[in-house]
Each structure stands twice: as structure tokens, then as C-alpha cells.
Amino acid sequence: MTEAVLRTGRASLDRLPIDALGVLLAVFGCGALAALPFMVAKANRIVPGRPLGLFEALPVPVALACAGVLACAGLVALSRAGARWRLGAALLGIVVVALAAASAADALTPPGNRVVRIAPGAGCWVLLAALGLLAVDALTRLRPRPLVRVLLLAMALAIAISALAHGTFDHLSIMREYQVNSARFGRELRQHLWLALGSLAAAVVVALPLGVLCHRLPRLRGAILGALNSVQTIPAIALFGLLMAPLGALAAAVPLAAAIGIRGIGTAPALLALFLYSLLPVVANTVVGLERVAPAAVDAAHGMGMTRWQVLRGVEFPLALPVIVTGIRIVLVQNIGLVAVAALIGAGGLGAFIFQGIGQTAIDLVLLGAIPTVVLAMSAAVLLDALVESMQRVPA
Amino acid sequence: MIRIEELTRRYGDSTVVDHVSMQVERGTITVVVGTSGSGKSTLLRMINRLVEPTSGRVSIDGRDTSTESAAQLRRRIGYVIQGHGLFPHRSVAENIATVPRLLRWDEARIAARVAELLRIFQLDPAAYAGKYPHQLSGGQQQRVGVARALAASPAVLLMDEPFGALDPIIRAKAQDDLLELQRRLGTTILLVTHDMDEAFRLGDRVAVMNQGRLLQYDRPARLLTDPADDFVARMTGSADRALKLLALRSAAELAAPGPVEELRLASSASLRDALAELVWRGAAAATVVDAGGAVLGRISVDAILAAGCHA
């Protein structure tokens, strides 16, 4: 009965020239514009803000133009327009919403006033999320080649960074926080990348031989993968905490350890914990990748007189590489997120802004840490996915 | 020449190859045939030491194979396996160049050898050298697999079910090509198969194995006329053994002086094919001519029937 209703419902939807995801996104977009504040104006960074709708935040003609563009984007999303049109509408919508928020902030900030905080409201964020989903959906349908995806990412980042550098968003509350913390921001960003990439590099150096060992000696495999698996089950905060005591004791007992920067808190336990987390995905994917290599190719390689090392380097490893890089992609994205938590044990990174912001109930400071972290993780995912796909493209 | 002496391989309690001794003459094709689990592949893999023998020895041209490193040994023995085993991430040219690279030939010599082999295997170097294995048909992949095995001109070629993955029509063509290639290059070939027809078609000598033991090693005709035991008789098949025997001999063998007949037969045709053609045409005799059209003699149905008779 229910199934029948669903089927007729589905069939009637199929008959109408309407896109199912578009309906959902359009409903969210309309709801956000109608019911949620587009901007929030606060007299300073602590006090509760005053919610402003789109038409309160912007001069009526500008607000009308903005709403018009969004309505058009909504119609494109609803229709069965081609994926290129949908992508174009989504990107145009994102640019318009971002510029509307920026110009609202410009208009609402009294000249010379550095205390007021004009922040995007919930409606603005929901609109951006809906438009972002529309863009991702269109990109999935377009299936661009790996290089094109990387170029699109680079273009998007270049546009965003040049707009930020140009001062377009300077009156928005997040940029106010950035201006206060600009020197520290660069430092924490570098520290974030160093923690994520350094632990990854160390893990790859250790995990590749470990993976080969697990592949060659099936008896070791259970023990090694089991041990690494149990490390993964320890929550990040607990692992950071667990490492503080032994590393602290090490630093106290061995002066050399202290001299090269090993302490119970800070970079050393963070790097070590991230390193431990990184091992399992790389080892496991190395084992799976090596197992998936065609046995006939390996047999032929041995039969032609390649040494074991030549077989590993020339046949097994290159054929397993796409799967191994998939493991590295998992680790990199995971690490970029975990580094944010490492700020709790004084390791720095963008997480420092997040926890400082939570402590001060300054949501803009939280966003100053969170948004770049998300952008970093997404960029890493796009880059490495493209790398994996371009490697698989040659032969399967 | 490959000399195999008392070669044995045990895994725990089971003996996979049990005291096998045989000799493969230089420049011939020897086929080892048996059911799966007969130990035929293990026997082959002990010759290039992919499997180390438990006991016994193998020598090639008088040299004991255990006196050099396994890798060195394998570089001078060609090896072809079922499903070709080509490296999917390397181009056709790179695949063929594998052993020459291991032997550190210079690039110019490698390139010349790759082009030469591609032409021998009817693959235009300009079109195929840069392709990847997955871009080739099954028959082309198989040819590249053989070309790769022959790259460094090995005196001995080991083939483990080389045509197993091919469909029947391509397989027949691949078998003919192998025979012609072997005649041209004079390579000593040891081939393993489960297919008795393939063994009869290719083998100068055929070895029948069962449960690790070598039951009979002889000329194909002798396997039909004098099977060593019931198993060999069952493997060769008794229902049509007369026809199989005829299939092993050519029309040229029975060409005798006599009047010129209307029907003409190629001298390369087997007696089986000649008989089939005579029956089909309702003729009692035909004239045998060679590839150039010269008359070799006359062949009659009676003579063919007599040749197939083993009473």
C-alpha cells in the first residue's frame, strides 16, 4: 500500500519536469530567506545580536536584486536544466550571497567603529549550504576529469583569497577577528599543516614496509592490524592525554629528549598521536593493494628472473599504488580534522582559535579556526581523489 | 636439451611430483599432459626453480640448474603462463623489454629487438609498441606474452597452459603460429596442458602424468597404439583413436605413383582431413600436390584405411 503510494508519487514526480533534490534545496532556501535572519548585528563581540532579514540588512533595491538572483537559482535547481546550468546558478548564487553579506556589513558598520560585530545570520549560512549542495550535485553529475577538478578548486581558492586580500569582507565579524589575530593566524596555519603533513609523512615511511611485511607474512598480519586497530578505537582526546605522562617522564629523565623539544604537552604528543592514528589506514590499504595485484603478473615477473625486490618495486608496488594513495587520502583528511583537537594539549594549530573562541563565547573566533580547517580538509580530499583517479585511469 | 632426473617435490605428506625422469631433446616440442592435480605444472615450475625440488636434479645443456642463482637461471629460460601475465601498467614494448632490461642490454639493442619481435608476431610496431595490455584482444595479449618470453632468445621455452584462456578459433590459430615459430627459431619447448588434442597437435613427444608420476613418455602415435596403462588409454580416448592416429600423419606420407585423379589434396593435409574430403566428395582416390602445385603422387581411401588399421 505504502509502496504503491510511493510508486505513484514517484511516477507523478517523474512526469513533471521537476528535479527532486532541487525541490528540497528550494524549500530550504525559501525557508532560510523568509524565517531566518540574514545578518546579525552586535554592538560588540560578546553581547547578544540583533537579527536582520535580507530587506533590513540591505537597501531595498539591492535586496530585491539579490532575492531575484536567488529566485532564478532556485528555479534552475527545480527545473531539469543541464548540470552546467545548475553549477553556474549555484556558483552565481554563492557569489551573490557572499557579496550581499559583505555589503550589508559595510553598510551596517558606522565609519571608524571597530567594536561592532556584523555577522552572517543563520539564513545566510543555510543559503550558502543549499547552494553548495547544488554545486556539489552538479559537479557529481558532470564528472569532470581529475585535472579539471583540481583547476576548479584552484580557481575557487584563488578567487576567495584575492577577495579576502582585497578587503571585500573586511567589515564582516570573522574578518574582524582575523585582523586582531592576523600575525598569529599565519603561524597557527603553518603549525596546523606541519602537524598534519609531518605525522602523515612519518606514518607513510613506517607503514609501507609494515604493509609489505603483513602481505608477505600472513601470520604477522592479524597481530599488526589488530594492534593498529585498537589504537584507532581510542578517542583522540584520550590518546593525547595518555601520551602526556610518558613523554613528560621521558623529557624529565633524558635531557637530550627535552633539548630536541619532546615534552608532555605541545607538538611532541600531538605528532606521536597523529602518527599512530595514521598507521592503520596506510598499512591496511598497502596490504589490500598488494593483495589485489594480479597473481599472474607476479608469477610472470618471478618467472622472468626478477629478484624479489625488483618484483616489489617494479610490479607489485606500482599496481598497488592507487589503493595505497587512497589510504593516504583518508589519513590526510582525518589528520587535518584531528589536529584541531590537538590544540587542547597546547600543540597549536587552527584548533587554538576554536577552543579560545569557545572559552570566550566568541563564535566568530571559533569560525576563524573552523572554516579554514574545513577548507583545508576539503581541498586535500579533492586533490588526492584526483590523484588516485588519474593513477587508475591508465590501466585497471 | 633438458635432462630431468628423479625429480621429486613433496608438500608435507603429499608427494606432488614423484621421481620423474625424462629428457627433452633440443629443438623439439614436448608436451606434458595430465588432469588438474597431476603435478604437471609443478614439474614445469621446478625446471626454472619457481618451485625448488625436494630431491632430484635438472640440467639444461649439461649444466645443473642448481649451480646458479634462480634469478640468473630464469633470465635464460622463456616462461609463458595462462592468462599471459602481462604487466598492466607497462606498455607492450616495456613488457617485451623486461628480460633484456634485466640483462642490461643497451637501449638501442632493446628497441631493435622489440620491433623485430612485434613484426614476427604480426603486430605493427608503430601501432602496438605504445599500447597497454588492456587495449589488446585476447589473441594479441597471448602473442605479446610469448614475444616477451622470447625477448632474450632463450634456448628453452616453458609454457604453462599458454592457450588456456583463448576461445577455440583463436586457440587453433595460436597453436599453428607456435608450431611455425618453433620451426623457424628451433627453440626447445616444454609445454603443459590438460588438453590431449592440443598435446597431439603440438607435441613431438608427449608425457602423460597422473598423481605425480610419469606414466608414459613417447611419440603421440605410440600413446594411441601402445598405451602404457588404462589411464593413458582413457586420456587419449579409445573411441576415435584410429582417426586421431590418422590426424598425426600427413597426406604426403602415403602419396604413391599412380594415375592422376580429378580431386587434388594439399600434401600438408592430415590423413584424417584427406579421408574426410574423399568421403565428402564420394571419390576413391585423389592426387597429392605440394604447396607449389607439383604432383607428389596418388592417395586412395583404401591406403588411408590401411594406415589407420591397428589389427
Side-chain angles (χ1 to χ4, degrees), chain A:
Chain A
M1 167 80 183
T2 331
E3 205 177 299
V5 171
L6 274 178
R7 210 179 305 131
T8 46
R10 185 69 191 262
S12 57
L13 199 64
D14 281 346
R15 265 199 302 280
L16 286 171
I18 284 180
D19 184 87
L21 178 71
V23 174
L24 193 68
L25 294 180
V27 167
F28 271 110
C30 288
L33 270 180
L36 296 170
F38 187 73
M39 301 297 287
V40 176
K42 296 186 282 190
N44 59 55
R45 72 195 286 232
I46 310 293
V47 296
R50 181 166 54 89
L52 299 167
L54 181 64
F55 285 83
E56 297 163 291
L58 288 164
V60 175
V62 180
L64 268 177
C66 180
V69 170
L70 288 173
C72 289
L75 286 175
V76 172
L78 279 172
S79 76
R80 291 241 167 116
R84 280 166 201 281
W85 283 99
R86 299 169 72 83
L87 180 63
L91 295 181
L92 181 67
I94 289 172
V95 169
V96 164
V97 170
L99 289 179
S103 73
D106 292 344
L108 292 165
T109 305
N113 186 329
R114 302 195 67 83
V115 182
V116 294
R117 289 287 189 266
I118 314 295
C124 185
W125 292 119
V126 172
L127 273 173
L128 285 173
L131 290 162
L133 277 175
L134 184 62
V136 169
D137 175 59
L139 275 173
T140 314
R141 294 186 197 189
L142 278 173
R143 298 171 147 275
R145 297 158 57 89
L147 187 65
V148 176
R149 294 208 300 266
V150 172
L151 285 176
L152 282 174
L153 173 72
M155 268 169 53
L157 288 178
I159 291 170
I161 290 172
S162 56
L164 289 170
H166 181 254
T168 311
F169 300 105
D170 273 359
H171 288 121
L172 275 177
S173 53
I174 303 170
M175 291 309 289
R176 287 282 193 222
E177 293 293 349
Y178 171 75
Q179 287 142 21
V180 176
N181 293 293
S182 61
R184 228 184 100 203
F185 184 84
R187 213 163 55 234
E188 302 290 15
L189 181 65
R190 275 194 299 280
Q191 171 75 355
H192 201 99
L193 287 172
W194 147 240
L195 284 172
L197 294 173
S199 58
L200 170 68
V204 168
V205 168
V206 173
L208 288 183
L210 219 52
V212 173
L213 205 66
C214 285
H215 175 66
R216 290 278 159 89
L217 303 171
R219 254 182 286 174
L220 266 182
R221 184 180 315 170
I224 292 179
L225 290 182
L228 295 178
N229 225 332
S230 57
V231 171
Q232 291 277 318
T233 61
I234 306 173
I237 292 182
L239 186 58
F240 288 136
L242 283 174
L243 289 171
M244 287 168 73
L247 287 177
L250 180 71
V254 185
L256 178 69
I260 60 169
I262 293 178
R263 276 175 207 90
I265 58 165
T267 305
L271 269 180
L272 188 55
L274 292 166
F275 164 80
L276 289 174
Y277 278 128
S278 306
L279 285 177
L280 179 70
V282 184
V283 173
N285 278 46
T286 305
V287 173
V288 171
L290 289 173
E291 267 171 5
R292 279 197 354 182
V293 175
V298 177
D299 188 38
H302 284 293
M304 283 187 292
M306 290 188 173
T307 61
R308 292 183 75 164
W309 169 246
Q310 284 169 332
V311 174
L312 179 66
R313 209 194 50 186
V315 179
E316 293 183 290
F317 191 72
L319 289 176
L321 199 58
V323 183
I324 296 174
V325 176
T326 307
I328 291 174
R329 172 222 189 270
I330 294 170
V331 166
L332 184 55
V333 174
Q334 170 187 287
N335 272 8
I336 290 172
L338 281 177
V339 169
V341 185
L344 275 181
I345 54 164
L350 294 166
F353 294 120
I354 298 177
F355 290 112
Q356 195 185 341
I358 291 172
Q360 301 174 355
T361 58
I363 195 69
D364 300 319
L365 193 54
V366 173
L367 290 175
L368 182 64
I371 292 175
T373 306
V374 172
V375 171
L376 277 180
M378 278 174 45
S379 306
V382 169
L383 272 177
L384 283 167
D385 279 341
L387 185 64
V388 170
E389 208 181 305
S390 62
M391 284 192 296
Q392 280 167 338
R393 201 163 273 269
V394 188

Side-chain angles (χ1 to χ4, degrees), chain A residues 294-307 310 313-316 318-319 393-396, chain B residues 45 48 50 71 74-75 77 79 81-90 95 98-99 102 132 134 148:
Chain A
V298 177
D299 188 38
H302 284 293
M304 283 187 292
M306 290 188 173
T307 61
Q310 284 169 332
R313 209 194 50 186
V315 179
E316 293 183 290
L319 289 176
R393 201 163 273 269
V394 188
Chain B
R45 291 164 71 87
N48 64 2
L50 281 172
R74 291 174 197 149
R75 287 172 198 177
I77 300 178
Y79 184 54
I81 55 177
Q82 178 169 6
H84 63 73
L86 294 176
F87 303 140
H89 61 304
R90 294 194 183 168
N95 264 287
T98 304
V99 180
L102 291 172
Y132 284 89
H134 72 281
R148 182 175 69 170

